Amino acid sequence: MDRIRIVGGTPLKGIIPIGGAKNAALALMPACLLTEGTLALSNLPHLVDISTMANLLAQHGVGMALNGDARNGGHTGRVLELTAAEIVNTTAPYDLVRKMRASVLVLGPLLARCGEARVSLPGGCAIGTRPVDLHLKALEQMGARIELAEGYIAAKVTGRLKGAHIIFPQVTVGGTENILMAATLAEGETVIANAAREPEVADLAQCLIAMGARIEGVGTGTLRVQGVAALHGAEYSVVSDRIETGTYAVAAAITRGDVELVGARVDLLESVIKTLTECGVAIEATPRGMRVKADSTELVGTDIMTEPYPGFPTDMQAQLMALMATASGASMITETIFENRYMHVPELMRMGAKVNVHGASAIVRGVPKLSGAPVMATDLRASSSLILAGLAAEGETIVNRVYHLDRGYERVEEKLAACGAQIERIKGEAAE
Ligand code: EPZ
């Protein structure tokens, strides 16, 4: 397994390109199942999770063609053409689904297009049990018959799904995405109340509209869909990754550097920008994205609570904690979305961070300097917080199990090294 070695202490200076959003791409790709036409996705990030989704779709019979894309402001985002002319298999097998929970997003499209689907239950993951009960209840309201057997979701519908009035008892990004895709081909109108408002959900809705879907309320908590008989292919560019943007903004802040994030969209991460500004980080929009400067002021602690969009994103909680560990004063961090998203805490403490976790809250007391240490990545965003801490720590940090990181961040060490970070990947033995 690869490791990443960092010698901390260098303020980052320069430019970091921001790619397309992983969590948008993982919903946009299965949307291809809804049509026989070709869906061409550009600005696609090059990530392990994207390859996993491509493998899953391929075994359903989706034809794929990948080519480079020099557009999008010079980013190296790729163009992937997906064509589900014929779906040869409606089963999403355990050995693929267990690698990536977002695989469950084939359920709605397969049901809508084929009238049946057999999808492995995703199982839990490091940050929580993460059930899909809300997805299933909503599909049953649309006329699907659903059985759970042998670790699989077996779903069937006679004829077409029926439009329904869905009220999600709690905000679910994946649940909203599954139902939104299913509703585009259902008979009649579907209303999704308490829908997720994440930009990735809005991106999926805009892509579906480009494919001929009839959707109103994009970006709001209530989506209204008029089902149509069929969708057609489209070309669509994946929205900028707001979590990658926030992560590199923290990298600039924690090293007290000055970096421009090219391709960033400030309108997608207002809550993160507000929080970093409160801590003393200078952030301004530029014609190409946003500039993050922290080389002249002391950073101070602040309090945050993770919430559904537009609140502070749970996917930025671990990264902010790393920054707060080096800010002066105390910070209170409360995680309200997942029940076990503090796996990065013991690892940060090995680097000298002072953190006390009480249930869903963590008190962080800033220290003047973190110290480098060997640490273990446990999940995607925890890994990124360890990299961030390593960039600021005195001495050498070795982050083990960086396969977690590669699921969601493209060319991390390259992007950081280009801004002066002393960071390198140590290729591991496959067997390790
Ligand atoms: C998406 O996961 C993201 N993943 C996650 O990003 C993100 O943390 C999460 O949304 C919240 O923003 C992708 O988009 C691929 P949810 P998802 O359904 O859809 C509970 C990352 O680091 N819930 O909004 O799985 C659930 O347990 C990843 O990029 C149910 O109880 O999240 C959780 O506590 C991590 N029943 C809460 O709702 C359900 O049927 C939010 O989950 C569905 C969800």
Side-chain angles (χ1 to χ4, degrees):
M1 277 181 253
D2 291 1
R3 289 173 292 166
I4 283 188
R5 176 178 176 275
I6 306 166
V7 176
T10 312
L12 297 185
K13 304 262 186 217
I15 286 172
I16 294 182
I18 300 297
K22 164 180 87 82
N23 289 349
L26 292 176
L28 292 167
M29 290 171 74
C32 78
L33 295 167
L34 292 165
T35 175
E36 295 170 359
T38 295
L39 175 60
L41 296 176
S42 55
N43 198 32
L44 201 73
H46 185 191
L47 301 168
V48 169
D49 273 6
I50 302 299
S51 307
T52 304
M53 180 60 83
N55 294 336
L56 175 65
L57 293 172
Q59 61 93 41
H60 286 307
V62 175
M64 273 168 274
L66 178 68
N67 49 62
D69 174 18
R71 288 169 297 175
N72 296 306
H75 293 307
T76 54
R78 306 170 305 152
V79 178
L80 178 65
E81 294 182 350
L82 303 106
T83 311
E86 196 197 343
I87 292 174
V88 298
N89 159 42
T90 56
T91 293
Y94 174 67
D95 68 320
L96 283 175
V97 174
R98 71 183 171 81
K99 285 187 195 138
M100 186 186 61
R101 312 178 30 74
S103 309
V104 75
L105 293 175
V106 300
L107 178 60
L110 286 174
L111 254 183
R113 173 88 182 273
C114 311
E116 63 170 27
R118 187 167 174 272
V119 176
S120 167
L121 275 163
C125 80
I127 62 177
T129 52
R130 301 181 70 184
V132 290
D133 55 312
L134 302 179
H135 302 227
L136 305 183
K137 281 194 195 98
L139 288 169
E140 283 177 326
Q141 260 192 269
M142 297 176 75
R145 287 186 313 286
I146 291 184
E147 279 172 32
L148 301 185
E150 298 143 27
Y152 276 78
I153 302 161
K156 260 189 184 309
V157 61
T158 311
R160 287 168 71 185
L161 289 167
K162 305 280 179 297
H165 192 121
I166 311 287
I167 303 173
F168 279 122
Q170 74 177 87
V171 172
T172 160
V173 170
T176 303
E177 292 167 339
N178 242 332
I179 298 312
L180 182 57
M181 288 190 277
T184 58
L185 296 179
E187 213 166 295
E189 177 181 70
T190 298
V191 176
I192 307 174
N194 200 21
R197 297 169 52 193
E198 272 66 7
E200 296 74 32
V201 176
D203 214 37
L204 172 64
Q206 296 294 7
C207 178
L208 291 168
I209 289 169
M211 294 166 70
R214 292 173 53 200
I215 303 170
E216 289 167 11
V218 177
T220 74
T222 302
L223 297 171
R224 200 175 286 276
V225 187
Q226 305 301 331
V228 294
L231 295 184
H232 50 70
E235 287 188 7
Y236 195 78
S237 179
V238 179
V239 70
S240 164
D241 193 322
R242 63 193 168 100
I243 304 300
E244 185 190 23
T245 303
T247 302
Y248 287 122
V250 171
I254 204 168
T255 59
R256 307 302 188 264
D258 180 354
V259 173
E260 184 181 13
L261 305 178
V262 174
R265 285 245 328 254
V266 293
D267 61 314
L268 300 182
L269 66 163
E270 287 176 356
S271 58
V272 173
I273 291 172
K274 175 175 168 293
T275 298
L276 293 178
T277 307
E278 278 166 13
C279 299
V281 183
I283 295 182
E284 59 177 0
T286 66
R288 300 189 298 182
M290 81 188 216
R291 183 176 176 190
V292 183
K293 214 164 140 0
D295 53 3
S296 56
T297 52
E298 183 197 28
L299 298 188
V300 294
T302 187
D303 298 342
I304 58 124
M305 180 177 278
T306 64
E307 292 171 304
Y309 194 87
F312 190 92
T314 174
D315 292 350
M316 278 297 302
Q317 180 257 108
Q319 298 91 310
L320 187 84
M321 185 182 285
L323 180 63
M324 293 299 92
T326 70
S328 62
S331 306
M332 164 85 102
I333 293 177
T334 303
E335 171 59 57
T336 69
I337 308 289
F338 291 109
E339 65 267 29
N340 186 31
R341 203 165 199 177
Y342 286 130
M343 310 274 278
H344 44 286
V345 170
E347 301 305 311
L348 289 172
M349 290 173 74
R350 287 176 47 71
M351 300 175 73
K354 292 200 177 341
V355 186
N356 274 335
V357 176
H358 293 279
S361 293
I363 294 276
V364 185
R365 290 181 179 80
V367 295
K369 264 288 171 205
L370 293 174
S371 49
V375 288
M376 185 76 73
T378 51
D379 58 88
L380 170 57
R381 305 305 175 181
S383 326
S384 70
S385 84
L386 299 177
I387 297 282
L388 296 170
L391 290 173
E394 223 155 35
E396 178 185 81
T397 296
I398 303 277
V399 181
N400 294 288
R401 295 190 181 170
V402 290
Y403 59 86
H404 290 291
L405 197 70
D406 296 333
R407 295 188 49 180
Y409 291 96
E410 185 175 350
R411 299 180 295 120
V412 178
E413 64 274 17
E414 263 178 64
K415 293 188 179 184
L416 290 169
C419 287
Q422 293 184 61
I423 182 170
E424 62 178 336
R425 182 179 288 256
I426 304 166
K427 281 284 175 208
E429 304 305 319
E432 268 177 73

Coordinates of all heavy atoms in Angstrom, one line a residue, residues 1-6 351 373-378 382-390 396-403 405 423-424 426:
M1 N 0.9 -1.2 0.0 CA 0.0 0.0 0.0 C 0.9 1.3 0.0 O 1.9 1.3 0.7 CB -0.8 0.0 1.3 CG -2.1 -0.8 1.2 SD -3.0 -0.7 2.7 CE -2.6 -2.3 3.4
D2 N 0.5 2.2 -0.8 CA 1.3 3.5 -0.9 C 1.2 4.2 0.4 O 0.3 4.1 1.2 CB 0.8 4.4 -2.0 CG 1.0 3.8 -3.4 OD1 1.6 2.7 -3.4 OD2 0.7 4.4 -4.4
R3 N 2.3 5.0 0.6 CA 2.3 5.9 1.8 C 2.6 7.3 1.2 O 3.2 7.4 0.1 CB 3.3 5.5 2.8 CG 2.9 4.2 3.5 CD 4.1 3.7 4.4 NE 5.2 3.2 3.6 CZ 6.4 3.0 4.1 NH1 6.6 3.2 5.3 NH2 7.3 2.6 3.3
I4 N 2.3 8.3 2.0 CA 2.8 9.7 1.6 C 3.6 10.3 2.7 O 3.3 10.2 3.9 CB 1.5 10.6 1.3 CG1 0.9 10.2 0.0 CG2 1.9 12.1 1.4 CD1 -0.1 11.1 -0.6
R5 N 4.8 10.8 2.3 CA 5.8 11.3 3.3 C 5.8 12.8 3.1 O 5.8 13.4 2.0 CB 7.2 10.8 3.0 CG 8.3 11.4 3.8 CD 9.6 10.7 3.5 NE 10.7 11.3 4.2 CZ 11.3 12.5 3.8 NH1 11.0 13.0 2.7 NH2 12.3 13.0 4.6
I6 N 5.6 13.6 4.2 CA 5.6 15.0 4.2 C 6.6 15.5 5.2 O 6.7 15.0 6.3 CB 4.2 15.6 4.6 CG1 3.1 15.0 3.7 CG2 4.2 17.1 4.5 CD1 1.7 15.2 4.2
M351 N 0.0 13.6 16.6 CA 0.8 14.7 16.1 C 0.8 15.9 17.0 O 1.3 17.0 16.7 CB 0.3 15.1 14.7 CG 0.4 14.0 13.7 SD -0.4 14.5 12.1 CE 0.9 15.6 11.5
A373 N 4.6 12.8 12.6 CA 4.6 11.4 13.1 C 4.0 10.4 12.1 O 3.4 10.9 11.1 CB 3.6 11.4 14.4
P374 N 4.3 9.1 12.2 CA 3.6 8.2 11.3 C 2.1 8.1 11.8 O 1.8 8.0 12.9 CB 4.3 6.9 11.6 CG 5.1 7.0 12.8 CD 5.2 8.5 13.2
V375 N 1.2 8.2 10.8 CA -0.2 8.1 11.1 C -1.0 7.3 10.1 O -0.4 6.9 9.1 CB -0.9 9.6 11.2 CG1 -0.4 10.4 12.4 CG2 -0.5 10.3 9.8
M376 N -2.2 6.9 10.5 CA -3.0 5.9 9.7 C -4.2 6.6 9.1 O -5.0 7.1 9.9 CB -3.4 4.8 10.6 CG -4.0 3.6 9.9 SD -2.8 2.7 9.0 CE -2.0 1.8 10.3
A377 N -4.4 6.5 7.8 CA -5.7 7.0 7.2 C -6.7 6.0 7.4 O -6.5 4.8 7.4 CB -5.5 7.3 5.7
T378 N -8.0 6.5 7.7 CA -9.1 5.5 8.0 C -10.2 5.7 7.0 O -11.0 4.8 6.8 CB -9.6 5.8 9.4 OG1 -9.9 7.2 9.5 CG2 -8.6 5.4 10.5
A382 N -10.7 11.9 6.5 CA -9.8 11.8 7.6 C -8.4 11.8 7.0 O -7.5 12.5 7.5 CB -10.0 10.5 8.4
S383 N -8.2 11.1 5.9 CA -6.8 11.1 5.2 C -6.4 12.5 4.9 O -5.3 12.9 5.1 CB -6.9 10.3 3.9 OG -7.7 9.2 4.0
S384 N -7.4 13.3 4.3 CA -7.0 14.6 3.9 C -6.6 15.5 5.1 O -5.7 16.3 5.0 CB -8.1 15.2 3.0 OG -9.2 15.6 3.8
S385 N -7.3 15.2 6.2 CA -6.9 16.1 7.4 C -5.5 15.7 7.9 O -4.8 16.6 8.4 CB -8.0 15.9 8.5 OG -7.7 14.8 9.3
L386 N -5.1 14.5 7.7 CA -3.8 14.1 8.2 C -2.7 14.7 7.2 O -1.6 15.1 7.7 CB -3.6 12.6 8.2 CG -4.6 11.9 9.2 CD1 -4.5 10.4 9.1 CD2 -4.4 12.4 10.6
I387 N -3.0 14.8 6.0 CA -2.1 15.4 5.0 C -1.9 16.9 5.4 O -0.8 17.4 5.5 CB -2.6 15.3 3.6 CG1 -2.7 13.8 3.1 CG2 -1.8 16.1 2.6 CD1 -1.4 13.2 2.7
L388 N -3.1 17.5 5.7 CA -3.1 19.0 6.0 C -2.2 19.2 7.3 O -1.4 20.1 7.4 CB -4.5 19.5 6.2 CG -5.4 19.4 5.0 CD1 -6.8 19.7 5.3 CD2 -4.9 20.4 3.9
A389 N -2.4 18.3 8.3 CA -1.7 18.5 9.5 C -0.2 18.3 9.3 O 0.7 19.0 9.8 CB -2.2 17.5 10.6
G390 N 0.1 17.3 8.4 CA 1.5 17.1 8.1 C 2.2 18.2 7.4 O 3.4 18.5 7.6
E396 N 8.9 15.2 10.1 CA 8.3 14.2 9.0 C 7.1 13.6 9.5 O 7.0 13.1 10.6 CB 9.4 13.2 8.7 CG 9.0 12.1 7.7 CD 10.0 11.0 7.5 OE1 10.0 10.1 8.4 OE2 10.8 11.1 6.6
T397 N 6.1 13.5 8.5 CA 4.9 12.8 8.8 C 4.7 11.7 7.6 O 5.0 12.0 6.5 CB 3.6 13.7 8.7 OG1 3.7 14.6 9.8 CG2 2.3 12.9 8.8
I398 N 4.4 10.5 8.1 CA 4.1 9.5 7.1 C 2.7 9.1 7.2 O 2.2 8.7 8.3 CB 5.0 8.2 7.3 CG1 6.5 8.6 7.3 CG2 4.7 7.1 6.3 CD1 7.1 8.6 6.0
V399 N 1.9 9.3 6.1 CA 0.5 8.9 6.2 C 0.4 7.5 5.5 O 0.7 7.4 4.3 CB -0.4 9.9 5.4 CG1 -1.9 9.5 5.5 CG2 -0.2 11.3 6.1
N400 N -0.1 6.5 6.2 CA -0.2 5.2 5.7 C -1.6 5.0 5.2 O -2.6 5.7 5.5 CB 0.0 4.2 6.9 CG 1.5 4.2 7.3 OD1 2.4 3.8 6.6 ND2 1.7 4.8 8.5
R401 N -1.8 4.0 4.3 CA -3.1 3.6 3.7 C -3.7 4.7 2.9 O -4.9 5.1 3.1 CB -4.1 3.1 4.8 CG -3.6 1.9 5.5 CD -4.7 1.3 6.4 NE -4.2 0.1 7.1 CZ -4.9 -0.5 8.0 NH1 -6.0 0.0 8.4 NH2 -4.4 -1.6 8.6
V402 N -2.9 5.3 2.0 CA -3.4 6.5 1.3 C -4.4 6.0 0.2 O -4.9 6.9 -0.6 CB -2.3 7.4 0.7 CG1 -1.6 8.1 1.8 CG2 -1.4 6.6 -0.2
Y403 N -4.7 4.7 0.1 CA -5.7 4.4 -0.9 C -7.0 5.1 -0.6 O -7.8 5.4 -1.5 CB -5.9 2.9 -1.0 CG -6.3 2.2 0.2 CD1 -7.6 2.0 0.6 CD2 -5.3 1.6 1.1 CE1 -8.0 1.4 1.8 CE2 -5.7 1.0 2.3 CZ -7.0 0.9 2.6 OH -7.4 0.2 3.8
L405 N -7.3 8.1 0.4 CA -7.2 9.4 -0.2 C -7.4 9.4 -1.7 O -8.1 10.3 -2.3 CB -5.7 9.9 0.1 CG -5.5 11.4 0.0 CD1 -6.1 12.2 1.1 CD2 -4.0 11.7 0.0
I423 N 6.6 17.0 -0.2 CA 5.7 15.9 -0.1 C 6.0 14.9 -1.2 O 6.3 15.3 -2.4 CB 4.2 16.4 -0.2 CG1 3.2 15.2 -0.1 CG2 3.9 17.1 -1.5 CD1 1.7 15.6 0.0
E424 N 6.0 13.6 -0.9 CA 6.2 12.6 -2.0 C 5.4 11.3 -1.6 O 5.1 11.1 -0.5 CB 7.7 12.3 -2.0 CG 8.2 11.7 -0.7 CD 9.7 11.3 -0.8 OE1 10.2 11.0 -1.9 OE2 10.3 11.2 0.3
I426 N 5.4 7.3 -1.5 CA 6.3 6.1 -1.4 C 5.5 4.9 -1.9 O 4.5 4.5 -1.2 CB 6.8 5.9 0.1 CG1 7.4 7.2 0.6 CG2 7.7 4.7 0.1 CD1 7.6 7.2 2.1

